[in-house]
Amino acid sequence: MTSTDDGEAPRLRALRPRLPSPVQELVDGRFERRGVRLLLKRDDLIHPELIGNKWRKLAPNLAAADGRDVVTFGGAYSNHLRATAAAGRLLGIPTVGVVRGEELAGRPLNPSLARCTADGMRLHFVDRAAYRRKSEPRTLDAILRAADAEEAYVVPEGGSNAEAVRGCQALGAELRDRADVVAVACGTGGTLAGLAAGLAPGQRALGIPVLKGGFLTADVRTLQQQAFGGPRGTWDLDDRFHFGGYARVPEELDAFATDFEHRHGLPVERLYVAKLLYGLVTLAAEDAFPRGTTVAAVITGLPFP
């Protein structure tokens, strides 16, 4: 087993990540007929609880926290909140999750938030207007005071900051010269920003946003500026496959994911991975990839039980 430099921090060694994650070739007629080779980058196998890009983004932030309490942000179904809570339990670090939606405070917890609390995360619910302004210093200070987390190390929503982007650069490095196009589902853009930076010249990173709004282009550019001082690598986004927004899984997408599972025996996570794979199948049908292209799909998670 190898590890990143961040993963070598003594307090993180107990997490025992599987790095580099495996690369598997998948034979699927929808790609084969178009002369396209499909690889799966199995980041879902890095760690059983800090799955996929969550490990790559959290590990450098946990190292930077250096044992301090960690506070982070997410919606009611946030994979990032669950991963942070699990990391806190495994490392003995107190965690606080700031959850979008003050109205949720008086309701029974959904399975995702219940898992967070079971892993020891203390939840603090904020109204949606304040949540939208959480990057503003005064609003952030007020949120941290209300959550009794003023001394905590702050990890942004989705875990995407300069540390996380540099951590995700290793993902690109592990795929250097393995594929022409490397595709990943995007929430906050940090994984794409780092992935593109780690790829070799001539390779392209493709992001499939799982939220609607078309805001990620600017966000990825900003993240690369913060992490590297400027743009890195070749990347683009295809905004057509969000299916209405985050956590939206209409019948068409669910049926596609179920069919993919039956074809290949691979459990398909619905919020990110299903949208990525649906997008790639659609792009292949549109002849968006020239014959002879090798496409690698980054599998960033597993279905939540």
Side-chain angles (χ1 to χ4, degrees):
M1 178 186 74
T2 61
S3 183
T4 64
D5 291 341
D6 291 314
E8 288 299 325
R11 71 173 64 250
L12 300 185
R13 289 179 187 150
L15 297 180
R16 300 179 62 82
R18 180 186 182 183
L19 292 168
S21 60
V23 177
Q24 301 174 350
E25 183 163 5
L26 196 72
V27 178
D28 188 306
R30 293 169 291 187
F31 294 88
E32 197 173 29
R33 285 191 295 273
R34 306 286 177 168
V36 176
R37 182 172 174 237
L38 179 64
L39 305 178
L40 302 183
K41 176 63 168 166
R42 296 295 304 274
D43 264 20
D44 57 306
L45 301 178
I46 288 177
H47 191 278
E49 295 184 85
L50 278 69
I51 292 171
N53 57 347
K54 305 309 176 190
W55 163 265
R56 295 188 188 275
K57 293 197 288 185
L58 272 175
N61 275 289
L62 292 169
D66 196 27
R68 294 161 56 193
D69 293 11
V70 170
V71 61
T72 194
F73 303 80
Y77 294 92
S78 169
N79 290 329
H80 169 67
L81 285 182
R82 289 207 310 270
T84 304
R89 171 175 55 80
L90 292 167
L91 296 172
I93 297 173
T95 58
V96 179
V98 177
V99 183
R100 180 180 63 246
E102 190 176 34
E103 74 279 1
L104 301 174
R107 300 178 184 173
L109 298 178
N110 67 31
S112 182
L113 293 178
R115 174 68 65 83
C116 290
T117 60
D119 280 337
M121 175 174 275
R122 181 163 55 85
L123 301 180
H124 177 72
F125 297 88
V126 300
D127 68 79
R128 294 171 187 272
Y131 192 91
R132 285 193 295 270
R133 301 193 308 272
K134 63 186 179 300
S135 61
E136 300 172 7
R138 290 180 62 182
T139 302
L140 176 60
D141 288 346
I143 290 172
L144 295 179
R145 282 197 303 274
D148 194 22
E150 292 176 273
E151 303 302 318
Y153 178 87
V154 177
V155 179
E157 182 177 24
S160 290
N161 57 10
E163 288 80 6
V165 171
R166 288 190 287 266
C168 290
Q169 191 173 5
L171 171 60
E174 291 172 22
L175 285 165
R176 276 186 161 237
D177 303 318
R178 299 291 299 270
D180 303 293
V181 178
V182 181
V184 65
C186 301
T188 51
T191 303
L192 178 65
L195 164 65
L199 293 174
Q203 291 180 288
R204 174 170 67 95
L206 169 63
I208 303 294
V210 302
L211 294 85
K212 61 181 178 180
F215 55 86
L216 270 185
T217 297
D219 288 357
V220 173
R221 288 173 178 161
T222 298
L223 286 165
Q224 288 199 332
Q225 178 68 38
Q226 293 170 347
F228 309 118
R232 291 289 188 277
T234 301
W235 58 271
D236 61 349
L237 295 161
D238 193 321
D239 288 297
R240 294 180 292 160
F241 307 110
H242 53 71
F243 282 88
Y246 186 71
R248 300 287 180 87
V249 185
E251 184 177 341
E252 179 186 5
L253 180 63
D254 187 58
F256 167 84
T258 299
D259 174 71
F260 199 96
E261 291 172 335
H262 289 162
R263 287 172 184 251
H264 302 295
L266 175 74
V268 176
E269 188 271 333
R270 294 320 198 245
L271 306 189
Y272 288 87
V273 177
K275 294 179 180 182
L276 167 67
L277 295 172
Y278 186 100
L280 291 179
V281 168
T282 301
L283 287 165
E286 295 172 349
D287 290 322
F289 306 119
R291 297 188 72 84
T293 297
T294 297
V295 176
V298 181
I299 307 302
T300 51
L302 291 171
F304 183 60

